[in-house]
Amino acid sequence: MAKGVDPAIVPYKTLYTGAEMPAMGIGTFGSDKYSAKQVSDAVYGAVESGYRLIDCASVYQNEKEIGAVLGRLFEDQVVKREELFITGKVWNDMHGDGEVIASCKQSLADLGLSYLDLYFVHWPFPNYHAPGCDGDSRNPDSKPFSIEEFMDVWRQCEQLLEEGLVRHIGMSNMTIPKLEAVLPLCKIQPAAIEMELHPGFQQPELFDYVQKHNIVPIGYCPIGSPSRPERDRTSEDVADTQMPEILEIAEAHRIHPAVVCLKWAVQRGQVPIPFSVKEPQYISNLKCITEDPLTDEEMEKIRLADKNCRLVKGQVFLWAGAKGWEDLWDMDGNITK
């Protein structure tokens, strides 16, 4: 562990079950820029360097390669299965009757595991797009959010937990109106919710709502996702690592601006899942949350710097008749029909 971080000093979050989850994980979404081998090699190096949380998803098309790497990690006695916290996600095209369960079992087979620690509904509707598509692509079968259809998916997630195939279940890309509609209907509550969270897009209302319901917020795009697909880029986007407040704090601590974003995330109370295939970066990412914390004044400066700039707008999931990507996010406080 000379070049890495002792997992014992990495902060953790406690889920409502009492289970502990590391306060930072390694993401595995390689976008359109990195191969499955590059991502899986990074997983090996990250675990070797002290990471214990790995965020996976079937749509990332690399679970088989990650599974082979997990097998090597266990065989090489780098880590035991019970020391890892591994998440998975059901993709939007597997929301039908029995398909959530089939998708999870396929992920388990690909990853070479008997259970997942946490399994998410990746998006709250069955709308999907072709891999690598551009931002103007639309699927004619797309439709608005349906409480009934979502709950059919959630019931299958609850079944996965009851059968011991997963330890916890979660939601992703939700809004407060959607959560208000579905949480009272859940037999088993979500342990965590993944959402876009970074200094330029802090989602304070949703963040507070989730925490008040004893749900752990997991933040994707924690440094503004510089490797996100081209379809998710617009000219109005704010780059977190170029925000004056972030640059000023980075200079004061003599650290990279990306590291400021990660320190802020963990100190605020969310679990960031940064992605990197470069060893110096993923080691630095993990190490930074174990030392030299931001001051209260710096945390407040970042809070006030929020630009409300959503980077992953999800426009490829829009349905016929939708006005724009804003309809996916219930901007007026009601579920958009």
Side-chain angles (χ1 to χ4, degrees):
M1 197 57 66
K3 65 179 180 181
V5 178
D6 180 356
I9 67 170
V10 174
Y12 61 85
K13 298 287 287 182
T14 303
L15 302 174
Y16 77 86
T17 60
E20 294 176 353
M21 178 174 68
M24 178 185 287
I26 183 96
T28 61
F29 177 42
S31 181
D32 305 323
K33 302 190 175 185
Y34 298 97
S35 69
K37 184 179 187 308
Q38 286 176 294
V39 174
S40 59
D41 285 349
V43 168
Y44 190 99
V47 173
E48 203 174 30
S49 302
Y51 281 84
R52 293 296 179 262
L53 168 59
I54 307 168
D55 182 74
C56 303
S58 57
V59 76
Y60 300 164
Q61 300 182 56
N62 54 24
E63 287 187 331
K64 275 189 179 177
E65 290 80 3
I66 291 171
V69 158
L70 291 174
R72 279 201 291 125
L73 285 163
F74 302 148
E75 191 177 316
D76 297 346
Q77 299 185 336
V78 175
V79 70
K80 297 175 182 175
R81 167 64 185 100
E82 57 270 24
E83 295 172 331
L84 293 178
F85 196 102
I86 303 175
T87 75
K89 306 181 191 77
V90 60
W91 186 236
N92 310 0
D93 62 352
M94 293 294 284
H95 280 198
D97 186 30
E99 291 181 342
V100 178
I101 292 162
S103 181
C104 182
K105 287 181 176 178
Q106 184 62 57
S107 286
L108 288 171
D110 289 343
L111 292 166
L113 303 174
S114 60
Y115 70 92
L116 287 167
D117 296 276
L118 177 54
Y119 195 62
F120 291 99
V121 181
H122 205 148
W123 286 83
F125 32 64
N127 310 344
Y128 60 94
H129 57 77
C133 72
D134 63 35
D136 294 324
S137 294
R138 299 287 183 271
N139 187 323
D141 296 328
S142 295
K143 50 190 173 180
F145 176 78
S146 159
I147 296 171
E148 294 75 18
E149 290 181 10
F150 182 86
M151 289 311 300
D152 287 343
V153 172
W154 192 250
R155 293 287 177 247
Q156 292 183 67
C157 291
E158 292 174 332
Q159 184 179 335
L160 287 168
L161 195 148
E162 288 162 354
E163 292 181 6
L165 295 174
V166 304
R167 299 282 172 86
H168 304 85
I169 50 179
M171 301 173 185
S172 185
N173 295 301
M174 295 292 279
T175 64
I176 291 176
K178 290 183 177 73
L179 290 170
E180 292 277 8
V182 302
L183 286 181
L185 306 176
C186 296
K187 288 189 295 184
I188 299 172
Q189 78 171 72
I193 289 183
E194 280 202 12
M195 62 184 86
E196 182 180 336
L197 291 171
H198 45 94
F201 190 61
Q202 300 180 24
Q203 300 212 69
E205 295 85 6
L206 180 59
F207 179 83
D208 290 345
Y209 181 92
V210 164
Q211 290 207 308
K212 283 175 185 170
H213 285 78
N214 203 18
I215 301 168
V216 172
I218 299 180
Y220 66 77
C221 298
I223 58 173
S225 192
S227 295
R228 68 188 183 280
E230 291 299 325
R231 66 171 174 267
D232 288 326
R233 298 170 186 267
T234 67
S235 58
E236 300 82 35
D237 291 348
V238 172
D240 293 76
T241 54
Q242 294 172 21
M243 289 168 58
E245 299 86 353
I246 300 297
L247 291 171
E248 183 183 327
I249 294 168
E251 187 176 350
H253 287 257
R254 299 189 176 186
I255 54 179
H256 193 282
V259 167
V260 176
C261 298
L262 297 174
K263 286 179 180 288
W264 166 81
V266 172
Q267 288 180 227
R268 186 189 188 214
Q270 65 224 37
V271 176
I273 43 173
F275 166 76
S276 177
V277 298
K278 298 170 184 172
E279 183 182 83
Q281 287 182 355
Y282 58 67
I283 291 178
S284 171
N285 289 348
L286 188 63
K287 188 179 180 185
C288 83
I289 65 169
T290 68
E291 61 187 14
D292 186 29
L294 303 183
T295 66
D296 291 344
E297 292 77 16
E298 288 167 338
M299 290 294 292
E300 178 66 4
K301 181 176 286 188
I302 296 174
R303 185 186 73 81
L304 295 172
D306 189 5
K307 301 293 187 289
N308 194 30
C309 178
R310 185 186 294 277
L311 299 177
V312 178
K313 298 173 178 65
Q315 69 274 21
V316 291
F317 301 124
L318 287 172
W319 53 90
K323 300 182 188 71
W325 62 264
E326 293 86 355
D327 284 357
L328 297 166
W329 304 105
D330 308 329
M331 307 286 268
D332 66 352
N334 298 295
I335 295 174
T336 308
K337 300 294 184 185

